[in-house]
Amino acid sequence: MSAPRLQTRQSRRAAHRARPSPDRTRARRPPKEPGPPGRRTPGGPTPTALLRPALPAALLLFIAVTLHSGAMDTLVRFLDFGAGVLALVSLSVTVLWGLAATDRMVLQTGHRLLAQAVHRGTGVAGLGFLGLHIWVKVAEGHTTGVSVAVPFTDGARPVLIGLGTLAAYVFVAVAVTGAVRGAFTGIAASRWWRALHMSAYLAWGLALVHGLKSGRAAAGWALAGYAVCLAAVAVRLALRLRDARTNSGDLP
């Protein structure tokens, strides 16, 4: 092969290597260069930009209409009675699902995990309704912040309000320690955690007495529902204690 042809081929290869690829050309596009025609936004404000100032105005208008129509007063009156009932119902369901999560005779592993998830979810809901119940009672003047914080200091009903305060403290302690269950490692710490968690049953009983006696008289269907919950918890707790004794007796 002659030298001129060899030089021609080498020059073509060098030119081909030096030629930029389409991908590199796109990557090196200056920042101010407009994008492809399909991605360009048309002139004028977008619908999202138009809606941004309208959302706060609509929210303020909704609040104003709600206050003017008296719906807020109706909601507060409902929460004055309903928040405590919702808290007690949620905590009752929490206790029942907590007992169900310990069953090993009927429920499989997957079912127990589902029961534990429902137990935690209803517990969070119960604490939320409990906080709302306390806020409404203080806001409406039925009790004071000191009576809520310090048990048995209410002027009108110290015992009944104090039982509710004690139950609230125990429920919060059980929820916090349940959320950090992994921190209680070791036999002694595990026993302390279990004893504190079992105290939720006592707190639930105190909350039941508080809910039935400290407020307005409960309706017949409410009394029947509380009785069913109490019987169900008592039966399930008795079965759990029996199973625990049986399993401990089988150990060498």
Side-chain angles (χ1 to χ4, degrees), residues 64-190:
V65 172
T66 302
L67 293 176
H68 181 71
S69 62
M72 188 61 66
D73 296 336
T74 304
L75 177 62
V76 171
R77 286 196 300 269
F78 168 75
L79 292 177
D80 189 13
F81 174 73
V85 175
L86 292 174
L88 188 57
V89 170
S90 300
L91 294 174
S92 301
V93 175
T94 302
V95 172
L96 289 173
W97 278 101
L99 289 171
T102 61
D103 181 76
R104 295 182 179 275
M105 295 185 298
V106 178
L107 299 181
Q108 302 296 327
T109 302
H111 298 155
R112 290 197 299 272
L113 293 176
L114 179 60
Q116 291 175 3
V118 177
H119 170 70
R120 296 189 184 97
T122 54
V124 172
L127 291 179
F129 287 128
L130 177 61
L132 185 61
H133 168 66
I134 295 173
W135 174 78
V136 171
K137 291 300 181 182
V138 174
E140 289 294 305
H142 298 296
T143 186
T144 62
V146 177
S147 301
V148 171
V150 183
F152 309 111
T153 57
D154 186 76
R157 293 159 297 179
V159 176
L160 293 176
I161 302 299
L163 292 179
T165 302
L166 289 178
Y169 279 138
V170 174
F171 279 130
V172 171
V174 170
V176 172
T177 54
V180 293
R181 175 66 177 89
F184 292 86
T185 57
I187 298 177
S190 179

Side-chain angles (χ1 to χ4, degrees), residues 80 101 179 186 196 208 239:
D80 189 13
L196 180 59
L208 191 63
L239 292 176

